[in-house]
Amino acid sequence: MNIWTVLHVLFVIACIDLRFTECKTKQDSAFDVGVNDAPEFKESKPVRYLLYNVNPGEGFNLRRDVYIRVANLVKLLNDDEPWALVLPPWGRIYHWQTREISQIKLPWSLFFDLESLRRHIPVLEFEEFLAVSEKPVIDEIYYLQRYKEGWTKWEEKMDILECLEKHGYSKGKDGRWHHWFFGYGDDVYANKFECMSYMGHAGFIKPFLMHNISGSRSVMLDRAETLLHDHFGQKRSWEGRRSMVYAKHLRDIGDNFREKYLGSTDKKDKTVLDDWTKMKKKHGDAKGGPYLAIHLRRKDYLYAHGGEIPSIQLVPKKVKSILKKHKLKKVFIATDAPNEEYEYLKQEFGEKVEVYRFKPTPEEHEKYKDGGVAIIDQWICAHARYFIGSYVSTFSFRIQEEREILGFEPEMTFNRLCNDDSDTCEQPSKWTIKY
Ligand code: GFB
């Protein structure tokens, strides 16, 4: 990290700390949050840092949902005292299988627009957190786990208890707690580690963070997927989701592809993007490009949900009838399928249908990693006139949400293909946007 980044971060932290509105620069939109509507703090309180981590087995798109839950916890905390969220570096995700490229310690700015995130809550990259910390230390870590006895009735509760599962943290002779810490484990350590059995929404932990451990500057919640959404599907969780605007460099690649191969531009298709805090689209505002997009989840999905998805042989037949209905001739396929399966599909669609897939150049792939390529696919799918997702895939859910933000009719978004034996299976729930 260069000296300017360090200085910028220090400046920004000072601004959260002191709530100096005059500290604002163009880049500081993070700290617009709360400037107008946050309550005045009686005394100046130093900023505290919330870090989090997710079960290593979880995929990219579920992790994005966990972000919303934790971000909204930080939003709640900021009603009473200044907290900033430290973004967990990306890496070691099971599905990112391109071994030739290094895929650890990836910053959020590779995938998301940080200014947009900061219009919701104050966030910092992990390296920025290290830069503003005197020592590379996390004061306290709480590893969220279930209750040993399971549960018979739902009630919100939390207790510091013995650890029930392997958690990967170990106490050294120096009394410090060590862990892989996103690849920074040789340098970073924690002073305290506890397991906490937890059943509850994200906001339920707020009093604990504020009062029980008020002396700690930095606190990490591991297994943060345990925290439930406080307002699932409601305005606040949509705000968190809307703030997760994809990084411009990825949107640009997707937009160029749309224009070059799919005849799709924002102006024509009524999908022009604005600052998310000012955007309020109605269903039907977006028209979408003249193509149908399908997210075809394959690989491990065949084992997990094989009975719910069509065989590769029947996909073209099922899609062709929808193309006809919507008078479309182009299909964009986002898929994790191997190339042979894609080539087979392309051939089976026949000459009258133009079929496309986004293939990054080796340089693009090296630069933006598997996560960036996935986002480009999602972005192109999000702009299609008609979208078909894969049964309960979080990858498809994120596309559906993007289309809600852009203002598509739900009928053009919440669709999936049935298995080979049926054409009338239950369609995805319509989680429509709330403002
Ligand atoms: O994101 P994700 O949890 O969605 O996992 P699901 C799917 C991953 O596979 C993505 C890649 O993050 C991508 O890396 N992938 C899938 C794709 N589809 C595409 C695509 O169309 N384009 C590109 N570029 N990449 C769940 C997993 O996945 O599936 C569970 O979270 C489990 O752990 C289950 O594996 C079977 O919700 O689809």
Side-chain angles (χ1 to χ4, degrees), residues 143-149 159-165 167 193-198:
Y143 185 91
L144 306 180
Q145 59 179 13
R146 63 194 163 83
Y147 277 85
K148 196 175 187 176
E149 63 279 14
D159 294 282
I160 292 177
L161 292 171
E162 60 174 310
C163 297
L164 299 177
E165 50 199 70
H167 47 61
F193 172 85
E194 300 272 14
C195 287
M196 179 189 272
S197 293
Y198 192 91

Side-chain angles (χ1 to χ4, degrees), residues 413-428:
T413 291
F414 296 94
N415 306 294
R416 68 148 171 137
L417 296 181
C418 303
N419 68 18
D420 287 2
D421 303 327
S422 151
D423 273 326
T424 54
C425 55
E426 193 184 352
Q427 293 299 300

Side-chain angles (χ1 to χ4, degrees), residues 57-63 93-97 294-305 333-337 357-358 370-375 377-378 381 390-397 399:
E58 301 297 352
F60 188 40
N61 289 290
L62 183 101
R63 284 165 186 270
I93 290 186
Y94 163 75
H95 298 96
W96 293 356
Q97 292 175 355
I294 176 165
H295 171 229
L296 204 59
R297 187 75 163 77
R298 302 290 293 171
K299 287 193 176 161
D300 55 334
Y301 235 63
L302 302 180
Y303 307 105
H305 302 293
I333 302 181
T335 183
D336 56 342
R357 174 185 202 176
F358 172 74
D370 289 356
V373 176
I375 285 177
D377 266 345
Q378 289 178 311
C381 286
S390 282
Y391 173 71
V392 300
S393 163
T394 53
F395 189 105
S396 295
F397 290 162
I399 297 169

